[in-house]
Amino acid sequence: MTFSSDGRFDLGFLGGGQLARMSIQAAQRMGLRCLSLDPGEVTPASQIAPSIVGSLDDPTAIRRLSDACDHLTLENEFIPASALREAIDDPSRLIPGIDSLAAVQDKLLQREAYHLAGVPSPRAVPLEKNPSRAIDEIGFPMVIKARFGGYDGKGTRYAKHAGELESHRELWHEGGWLAEEFVPFRRELAVMVYLSPLGEGAFPTMETIQTNHVCDLVFPSGVDASSVAIAAAHAMGGFGLFGVELFEREDGHFLVNEIAPRPHNTGHYTLDWGGISQFEMHVRIAMGLPPLEPKGHEVCMANLLGQEDARDWRDGLAAAMSDPDVRVHWYGKAESRPGRKMGHLNTTGADAVERAVTARERFYRAWRSVS
């Protein structure tokens, strides 16, 4: 393949958050020129590369990005597929493909695609004005989800009985929601999968600890769910990098929960594990470059969330890094809010989980203290 040298950008990012920022950093190490589109004027990505201010559901803004870049990719799955179809003249320049994105965006279509492909996943049916089908086919307890747009627990409710389902009627009665079976599970797992015409595979299977529906810790699981995760990515069609979240049942079987067609919070550990990062893999696939087999050592990632009464984050940085093996990644977001993902830290070695938790506690104490 050839790359342009006429002042155009090599790679455009739909979205300018931390995932775009870390992907751009990987691209820049290869000498690639990147441009992002985001409604925010000051974003994590705009601090390190040129950007366009515009809405991600505006075909005109998307077309500006597309016209300036040879290749396109995204950092979130909430950009309407219809807007992309209208704006991009050659859809083959976008990784993942628009059809893959459309399947991921609708959680019910996701479930149906898994079942058609024989990928183990919770059963799901539409939930609308008359909930009888959901009650008959799913039963209680059930999970109800918004089909579009939910993440980190947003757009998810639980119903243990018919009265509880009815109490949520204001959410689902106009449609746009699904009901799925509640899955008792032993733990939650995550796998980063890469699919490319030049090769495919998976990063290690990691265990994830969720707190208030937000990823808290990620560390090696000791099991291998890669075959199920790869099958789930294939069920979406096309190529790209996919973050696959799974349940491990008590009997050791794996069920796919959800998939994201982009770098994922659960893959941030790859920045410091000694091998290729998820962000470099993302860039390679988007640019049509060969993937590299992922290999690295044990590492734990701990998210850094916004805190009440937080002050200068650099005080936290210094406190966390009193352990010289702690690596802190700060996203440069313009506003810190309690619970918002502001950064993460990685630690390596056999005691990585304990050291990550301890380092984060030091970070938070110092961040909240008066300097």
Side-chain angles (χ1 to χ4, degrees):
M1 65 180 300
T2 59
F3 298 95
S4 63
S5 57
D6 60 0
R8 287 170 56 81
F9 292 90
D10 298 296
L11 185 56
F13 287 85
L14 290 150
Q18 66 264 26
L19 301 179
R21 177 190 178 102
M22 289 182 277
S23 297
I24 289 171
Q25 288 169 332
Q28 289 172 334
R29 286 193 290 274
M30 303 180 209
L32 301 174
R33 299 181 66 241
C34 300
L35 179 69
S36 65
L37 168 67
D38 194 274
E41 292 189 11
V42 180
T43 67
S46 70
Q47 296 172 37
I48 64 169
S51 65
I52 296 171
V53 178
S55 173
L56 290 169
D57 60 7
D58 178 5
T60 300
I62 296 171
R63 191 175 298 113
R64 286 184 61 198
L65 181 77
S66 176
D67 289 347
C69 301
D70 292 334
H71 301 269
L72 300 166
T73 191
L74 48 82
E75 74 144 20
N76 73 69
E77 59 272 29
F78 306 125
I79 303 157
S82 58
L84 295 172
R85 287 194 173 96
E86 180 179 342
I88 300 173
D89 56 349
D90 180 5
S92 68
R93 295 189 296 124
L94 175 67
I95 295 292
I98 297 176
D99 290 341
S100 298
L101 178 62
V104 169
Q105 285 176 341
D106 185 336
K107 290 182 173 60
L108 184 59
L109 291 183
Q110 234 189 95
R111 286 279 180 260
E112 292 172 347
Y114 296 147
H115 288 293
L116 283 173
V119 177
S121 175
R123 291 178 297 118
V125 298
L127 180 61
E128 39 206 20
K129 292 181 180 178
N130 185 347
S132 59
R133 180 183 175 189
I135 294 172
D136 291 343
E137 296 188 27
I138 302 301
F140 297 104
M142 70 170 62
V143 182
I144 63 174
K145 291 182 177 180
R147 289 174 60 173
F148 301 91
Y151 68 98
D152 285 350
K154 299 176 178 67
T156 299
R157 301 290 189 276
Y158 299 91
K160 296 187 288 294
H161 48 75
E164 202 161 36
L165 177 62
E166 188 63 28
S167 73
H168 298 307
R169 176 175 283 274
E170 183 178 349
L171 296 174
W172 53 259
H173 78 286
E174 293 295 337
W177 284 67
L178 63 82
E180 69 179 31
E181 63 177 315
F182 176 83
V183 177
F185 58 87
R186 175 171 168 254
R187 56 181 176 167
E188 294 182 78
L189 305 174
V191 182
M192 297 306 306
V193 171
Y194 58 95
L195 303 180
S196 161
L198 302 176
E200 66 178 51
F203 288 76
T205 302
M206 306 296 282
E207 182 172 349
T208 70
I209 304 297
Q210 311 288 320
T211 301
N212 297 323
H213 302 288
V214 176
C215 180
D216 187 42
L217 293 171
V218 177
F219 49 88
S221 68
V223 298
D224 182 6
S226 59
S227 61
V228 174
I230 292 171
H234 274 297
M236 295 300 101
F239 303 109
L241 182 74
F242 298 86
V244 184
E245 297 176 286
L246 308 100
F247 299 126
E248 182 184 21
R249 303 188 68 142
E250 290 292 344
D251 60 7
H253 287 90
F254 306 119
L255 292 180
V256 174
N257 180 20
E258 291 183 358
I259 195 168
R262 53 167 172 79
H264 197 264
N265 194 184
T266 58
H268 290 352
Y269 71 91
T270 60
L271 284 167
D272 297 303
W273 78 320
I276 187 172
S277 74
Q278 66 164 343
F279 302 104
E280 181 180 340
M281 190 73 82
H282 182 52
V283 171
R284 283 175 176 245
I285 297 171
M287 293 296 298
L289 298 169
L292 181 66
E293 183 182 359
K295 294 180 179 179
H297 45 244
E298 290 194 359
V299 60
C300 175
M301 185 216 74
N303 268 324
L304 297 170
L305 306 180
Q307 301 290 299
E308 293 281 1
D309 302 321
R311 294 173 173 82
D312 192 334
W313 67 272
R314 286 164 291 198
D315 294 331
L317 176 71
M321 294 178 67
S322 61
D323 178 343
D325 290 327
V326 171
R327 305 289 183 86
V328 175
H329 300 265
W330 196 250
Y331 303 151
K333 293 183 177 179
E335 180 185 2
S336 174
R337 299 190 300 270
R340 190 184 193 193
K341 294 174 185 174
M342 301 302 297
H344 71 271
L345 60 82
N346 290 330
T347 58
T348 59
D351 57 349
V353 176
E354 180 181 349
R355 287 169 48 236
V357 171
T358 300
R360 181 169 58 186
E361 289 172 350
R362 290 197 304 269
F363 189 105
Y364 285 159
R365 282 198 301 270
W367 194 15
R368 293 190 295 255
S369 297
V370 178
S371 301

